[in-house]
Amino acid sequence: MDDFLRLSASTARFTHGAPRAFAFGDDGRLLWFLRSGGATDPFDSLWVLDTATGTESRLADPRELCPEPGDLPAVERRLRERTRLVAAGIGSYALSGDGRRAVFALYGRLYGVTADGTAKPGELPAAGPAWDPRPNSDGSRTAYVADDALYVSPGGRVSPDDGARWGVAEFAAAEELNRARGHWWSPDGVTLLAARVDETALQRRWFADPAHPELPAADFAYPEAGGPNAGVQLWVLGPDGTRILLDWDAQAYPYVSDAGWESETEILLTVQDRLQRTVLLLSADPATGRTRELSRTAHPQWVDPLVPGTPARLPDGRMLTATDTTGGAARALAVDGVLLTGDGLQVRGVAGVHEGRLLVTAGQRDPAEQQVLLIDPDTGESTPLAAGPGVHSVQASAGALLLTSADADGIRRTVRTPDGREFTPADLSEPLPYRVVPVLERVTEHGVPTALVLPRDHVPGRRLPVLLDSYGGPGFQDVSAEPRRWQARQWWADQGFAVVTIDNRGTPYVSPAFTHAMYRGFSEVTLEDQVAALHALAARHTDLDLGRVGIRGWSYGGYLSALAVLAVLRRPDVFHAAAAGAAPTDFRHYDTAYTERYLGLPQDHPEVYERDSLIPDAPNLKRPLLLVTGLADDNVHPSHTLRLSQALTDAGRPHQLLALPGVTHMTPGGTREKIMALELEYFRRELGL
């Protein structure tokens, strides 16, 4: 590997040493976060910034608590894969209700620490390898999961031994519905709301990882499109052993996308139907389990899941929901069903209420940018809080704000107290090696966002082979002013490519109509927009050589890459070589919540799934294709890639297959950089560099 790839690998893509996982505590006085000791230190410690003094304190160092972490390698590996953590050391933490105490799991052990710094972290008794610990309101008790049962420390098991998983988020919720937890303390700290997950109807997927022969073959329950989902219930577990089941129509609304206590006498939960066309916010009585509907959001295709903070109840009791303006021109907010924002604002999230106004992240100009606004919940009048070029985000608590701004010059974080003082949490990460200013343009009649990155030493008039590096799938925006995502693309450009990135219809943040264009079909709109945008860019930038076009991608981007060279009957001779990593090759074998949201049920729309499958196109391959899969990938199972490879072999179509032992979907530990080095050799050979 060259210097950039080595630096990227050793710094975890320039993230080691950067503060992350921020949470306010003690009514905004404390700002908790995780940060490692430097740019090449992978072990995150737990820190707190006291805004009363501006002092940072390290409260827990994983190497002091567990100086030989290798003593529990199997536990660490399984727990981190289960919770999808890539950081070493302390991967996550949770705060007590008062925000003065934190608990965390480290290599299967439980620890707690207070913010006053008078005592070192103490180990808490646990029944077994523990994960997802959650302290109660004053930190005196901690709920956690071990062996798929829910426990309390001090205390013991609080969930019944009935063969179900307790206190966890099922695969669909954790992977696709933005709910990563499965248990919640009541505000008084004595009662638990817990998810009960029954996975007996689901198929099992197995891994036998040759990179870790010391580990037994692992399996997990997987909800495959068209098949059964996990059965999810919510139970109130009282301190006296009483159990109350929350009662809603789980047959009609099987997905629980959010839950939590509003008060000691009320629980709020958000549920969705299987195709995610209707979202209900329900109020539940923890004493009886009875529920009542507070709000209903519906869409004929699907309700966009990308507006965190909604639906919600405002302090005055009115209901805040996300909706679309007429014709799907903008994602908007509504209060009690009345539109609050209009077509000029693409709402992305609600971070809470600040000084009586809604704290909103939204796009006002180019979809590559994001602003922070204060919006009056009565009039809709907006006031910019962070509105300069770039991507801005915010967290808030009791008048304190954490503003994060990212642009071509880097990432800046500012803590602002209610009395106007400001602090900057120290960032120990490696400075970004490139200052990249991609050429951002909207092209075609659909206004498709695109980005072009050229070699830093490019001389106008020199023709360049094109490398298309796009994701292209729903739920993720590639073309953004966030600087870290352009570092690797600048490296690719400096190898002699014009690097093109395209957010086709179906991707978020342009407009709801733009996003919903992917309804009932992935392949057609993805490929059509990628090709049309590429040609539009080449017409504007004549140094792009469309006689030499490579394409690379991972996950949905891998699907797009393989599609580009397999679907020659649809778009012949546009792409000349492809590297497809972790590609879902047949969505009949992908998960329920993601796939059915866009494609419907395979039983109802078999032609859609057949059209979007790569397997039938295998005999059409005439271009070089490199397939890459991680043998420990629990998101896009390696069987997807192996199934396509087998179809290509059966059709007599030569291709290359790279199967990587020990590699998960997150490609940790420098794996991505190693793949990039191999891809570079491949594209140089196949495109004649």
Side-chain angles (χ1 to χ4, degrees):
M1 292 193 293
D2 69 5
D3 290 345
F4 172 84
L5 294 181
R6 280 191 291 270
L7 184 62
S8 176
S10 66
T11 61
R13 301 157 211 157
F14 314 101
T15 60
H16 286 334
R20 67 176 188 88
F22 291 97
F24 279 108
D26 196 15
D27 291 329
R29 180 178 70 87
L30 303 174
L31 181 65
W32 300 74
F33 59 94
L34 298 174
R35 185 181 63 210
S36 72
T40 59
D41 178 9
F43 289 91
D44 278 353
S45 296
L46 180 61
W47 295 76
V48 69
L49 170 64
D50 188 336
T51 64
T53 63
T55 303
E56 288 185 4
S57 302
R58 180 160 58 182
L59 301 179
D61 184 338
R63 282 162 294 204
E64 293 179 358
L65 297 173
C66 193
E68 296 182 3
D71 58 355
L72 290 173
V75 170
E76 176 192 10
R77 182 173 175 79
R78 290 293 181 238
L79 294 182
R80 288 177 182 274
E81 286 180 5
R82 177 178 289 171
T83 52
R84 303 191 71 76
L85 293 175
V86 297
I90 302 171
S92 63
Y93 64 94
L95 298 183
S96 57
D98 58 17
R100 299 171 186 168
R101 179 173 173 82
V103 297
F104 55 90
L106 183 64
Y107 309 118
R109 303 170 183 171
L110 285 185
Y111 295 89
V113 65
T114 56
D116 58 17
T118 59
K120 292 184 177 181
E123 185 168 357
L124 307 178
W131 62 291
D132 197 20
R134 305 278 176 174
N136 66 353
S137 54
D138 63 3
S140 61
R141 306 177 74 201
T142 297
Y144 65 94
V145 178
D147 296 324
D148 290 335
L150 187 60
Y151 291 83
V152 170
S153 177
R157 181 168 179 158
V158 294
S159 62
D161 186 6
D162 59 0
R165 302 176 66 209
W166 281 83
V168 302
E170 77 280 11
F171 184 95
E175 197 72 30
E176 310 297 356
L177 302 177
N178 301 317
R179 177 172 63 83
R181 62 187 296 184
H183 58 281
W184 304 261
W185 282 104
S186 61
D188 60 8
V190 298
T191 303
L192 279 164
L193 174 67
R196 179 187 184 274
V197 179
D198 180 0
E199 297 175 333
T200 54
L202 273 61
Q203 62 169 286
R204 311 296 295 187
R205 288 197 168 179
W206 290 84
F207 295 101
D209 191 350
H212 295 275
E214 78 278 8
L215 299 178
D219 73 306
F220 67 97
Y222 189 81
E224 192 171 271
N229 269 309
V232 179
Q233 299 173 330
L234 293 178
W235 287 79
V236 178
L237 307 180
D240 57 357
T242 58
R243 298 175 186 144
I244 305 295
L245 174 65
L246 300 193
D247 182 21
W248 79 92
D249 188 353
Q251 289 293 321
Y253 301 98
Y255 291 137
V256 180
S257 53
D258 197 13
W261 295 81
E262 183 76 357
S263 68
E264 292 177 10
T265 59
E266 184 183 30
I267 292 168
L268 297 183
L269 61 151
T270 306
V271 298
Q272 305 181 45
D273 68 309
R274 178 155 178 163
L275 296 182
Q276 298 157 70
R277 292 171 173 167
T278 304
V279 176
L280 305 182
L281 179 64
L282 304 177
S283 170
D285 182 346
T288 65
R290 288 194 291 269
T291 61
R292 61 187 179 90
E293 183 178 319
L294 297 179
S295 73
R296 175 182 296 251
T297 305
H299 194 282
Q301 295 168 326
W302 74 84
V303 176
D304 196 328
L306 295 176
V307 185
T310 64
R313 178 189 283 144
L314 296 176
D316 61 8
R318 292 180 294 170
M319 299 309 305
L320 178 71
T321 56
T323 187
D324 297 349
T325 60
T326 303
R331 195 69 171 144
L333 294 176
V335 175
D336 281 348
V338 179
L339 274 177
L340 184 66
T341 60
D343 289 347
L345 202 66
Q346 298 289 344
V347 174
R348 302 187 183 184
V350 180
V353 176
H354 180 70
E355 298 176 346
R357 291 175 290 178
L358 300 176
L359 196 54
V360 175
T361 53
Q364 289 182 292
R365 300 183 295 264
D366 192 293
E369 296 183 344
Q370 177 174 288
Q371 289 77 42
V372 177
L373 307 169
L374 290 168
I375 296 181
D376 189 308
D378 297 320
T379 66
E381 179 184 356
S382 67
T383 303
L385 192 61
V391 176
H392 306 275
S393 58
V394 66
Q395 290 177 241
S397 175
L401 297 176
L402 171 65
L403 290 164
T404 301
S405 298
D407 56 29
D409 293 318
I411 301 173
R412 299 169 301 283
R413 304 168 185 88
T414 303
V415 181
R416 187 177 299 168
T417 64
D419 60 4
R421 291 173 299 122
E422 292 190 350
F423 304 97
T424 301
D427 189 333
L428 308 179
S429 62
E430 180 74 20
L432 298 180
Y434 306 129
R435 186 184 188 277
V436 189
V437 184
V439 179
L440 303 180
E441 298 178 273
R442 306 280 297 277
V443 299
T444 81
E445 69 274 20
H446 302 298
V448 171
T450 68
L452 173 64
V453 180
L454 298 173
R456 286 175 295 163
D457 62 357
H458 177 61
V459 177
R462 186 177 71 194
R463 300 275 281 169
L464 295 169
V466 176
L467 181 64
L468 189 63
D469 186 2
S470 299
Y471 180 77
F476 183 76
Q477 177 192 40
D478 250 332
V479 180
S480 167
E482 202 284 331
R484 275 192 301 223
R485 67 183 59 196
W486 301 108
Q487 297 298 303
R489 290 178 171 120
Q490 185 63 69
W491 175 83
W492 277 107
D494 288 350
Q495 310 311 306
F497 297 94
V499 180
V500 172
T501 303
I502 298 167
D503 278 342
N504 50 261
R505 284 172 296 159
T507 58
Y509 302 145
V510 173
S511 72
F514 189 93
T515 299
H516 285 102
M518 201 171 268
Y519 183 64
R520 293 287 188 268
F522 289 142
S523 57
E524 185 173 340
V525 67
T526 301
L527 193 58
E528 177 183 318
D529 278 7
Q530 292 282 330
V531 171
L534 177 61
H535 285 155
L537 285 175
R540 298 183 184 187
H541 304 276
T542 56
D543 286 349
L544 274 60
D545 183 358
L546 295 193
R548 293 181 295 166
V549 180
I551 182 171
R552 66 181 299 270
W554 190 265
S555 195
Y556 192 100
Y559 169 75
L560 165 60
S561 298
L563 175 70
V565 292
L566 287 170
V568 294
L569 299 182
R570 303 183 222 182
R571 302 300 311 209
D573 300 325
V574 176
F575 301 95
H576 304 92
T585 59
D586 189 334
F587 285 98
R588 286 168 287 211
H589 302 291
Y590 203 59
D591 72 61
T592 51
Y594 177 94
T595 311
E596 294 168 4
R597 179 190 303 152
Y598 310 110
L599 304 186
L601 293 168
Q603 302 94 310
D604 297 338
H605 304 280
E607 74 290 350
V608 172
Y609 283 78
E610 182 70 10
R611 183 173 64 244
D612 283 348
S613 173
L614 299 178
I615 307 303
D617 282 327
N620 299 329
L621 181 65
K622 295 181 176 64
R623 301 291 194 184
L625 173 60
L626 170 63
L627 298 174
V628 184
T629 185
L631 294 180
D633 192 332
D634 65 345
N635 181 308
V636 181
H637 194 269
S639 60
H640 277 271
T641 297
L642 299 179
R643 189 178 293 115
L644 176 57
S645 179
Q646 185 63 58
L648 291 167
T649 300
D650 292 344
R653 299 302 180 189
H655 61 286
Q656 299 178 58
L657 173 64
L658 182 61
L660 301 170
V663 172
T664 66
H665 201 68
M666 306 301 288
T667 59
T671 302
R672 182 169 299 180
E673 289 77 11
K674 295 174 183 177
I675 294 172
M676 288 169 62
L678 292 171
E679 288 178 329
L680 177 59
E681 293 182 10
Y682 166 77
F683 283 119
R684 279 176 169 168
R685 180 177 63 253
E686 301 300 346
L687 298 180
L689 268 73

